Amino acid sequence: MKLAGLRVVQGGRAYGSSLSGLAPNLLAELYEKHAAAVYGRCRYLLRNDAEARDALQDVFVKVLQSLAEFRAQASPNTWILRIATHHCLNVLRSGKAKWREEMVQLAKDRKPTFEPPDRRELVRALLSSAPQEAQEVAVLYFVDELSQAEIGEALGRSLPTVRKRLREFLACARGAMREAMPGAILPEGDDL
């Protein structure tokens, strides 16, 4: 993805600040290095190319706004992907009512023989059933395949808290599955 004409706008938040000379170059560099990963994350979570492109732009606006607050405790990639994850989860959360309706409709339209739903669609529905922090931990663990220790470090949480959030996500996901498919037999292990 190419960056075209990125500049600090006069009167904008970064204009006249210590970032006014630094932000365009740094943001352009961050965009060049991380835009593809951010787009991939947004595309995976939002399941829509147009929404993912919009989210990509929104994420880099948030990066520009938060550039002065970046403490370098995490890598820029982790920091930017965390912003992208939060943004996409907020977009999904705003449409949460639609997911609940779709899950109820799926249960009503269920055929006697089990037909597995699209995997990504199922993941999004299950994510929307859990609290925000549990969603974030689940994405980092199951999608990004970070270790629990890496997740704890990235989020500033203890290892027991990360495990608790993963269990919380699994419990919410199982509940949503039971609600959507009452006859399905689900595994109960917590081998985290």
Side-chain angles (χ1 to χ4, degrees):
M1 297 192 171
K2 289 290 180 191
L3 180 66
L6 178 69
R7 60 183 164 61
V8 176
V9 177
Q10 282 188 316
R13 187 171 183 192
Y15 182 75
S17 72
S18 61
L19 292 175
S20 61
L22 174 70
N25 295 334
L26 181 57
L27 187 62
E29 183 181 322
L30 290 172
Y31 189 93
E32 288 296 323
K33 287 182 180 177
H34 305 289
V38 170
Y39 176 75
R41 169 67 53 85
C42 295
R43 176 68 181 94
Y44 179 82
L45 290 172
L46 298 175
R47 188 187 57 168
N48 181 299
D49 287 330
E51 286 182 24
R53 283 190 297 272
D54 289 344
L56 172 68
Q57 299 307 312
D58 293 340
V59 166
F60 277 94
V61 166
K62 290 178 182 183
V63 166
L64 178 62
Q65 291 170 341
S66 304
L67 211 48
E69 299 159 13
F70 177 60
R71 297 183 307 258
Q73 290 178 338
S75 73
N77 186 52
T78 302
W79 178 66
I80 292 170
L81 285 177
R82 185 173 182 198
I83 291 172
T85 299
H86 279 285
H87 178 76
C88 291
L89 291 176
N90 285 336
V91 168
L92 289 172
R93 194 172 299 108
S94 69
K96 189 175 184 178
K98 291 189 291 186
W99 282 111
R100 291 205 183 276
E101 291 171 16
E102 288 177 15
M103 290 293 285
V104 169
Q105 190 62 37
L106 177 65
K108 287 180 183 176
D109 295 342
R110 195 179 97 231
K111 296 179 181 178
T113 59
F114 178 71
E115 293 180 12
D118 177 57
R119 184 177 177 181
R120 288 184 178 195
E121 200 170 300
L122 178 62
V123 168
R124 283 184 203 89
L126 296 178
L127 276 173
S128 71
S129 71
Q132 179 180 355
E133 191 172 10
Q135 290 178 17
E136 183 176 5
V137 170
V139 168
L140 292 172
Y141 186 75
F142 294 109
V143 176
D144 292 342
E145 297 179 350
L146 294 180
S147 70
Q148 292 174 14
E150 290 170 326
I151 294 169
E153 188 177 313
L155 299 179
R157 298 285 189 251
S158 68
L159 193 55
T161 300
V162 170
R163 285 188 186 121
K164 181 178 178 181
R165 296 298 175 252
L166 284 170
R167 285 188 197 103
E168 185 176 17
F169 167 75
L170 290 173
C172 291
R174 285 186 185 110
M177 291 291 291
R178 281 188 191 97
E179 186 178 311
M181 295 177 264
I185 299 171
L186 304 173
E188 288 296 325
D190 265 354
D191 299 331
L192 298 175

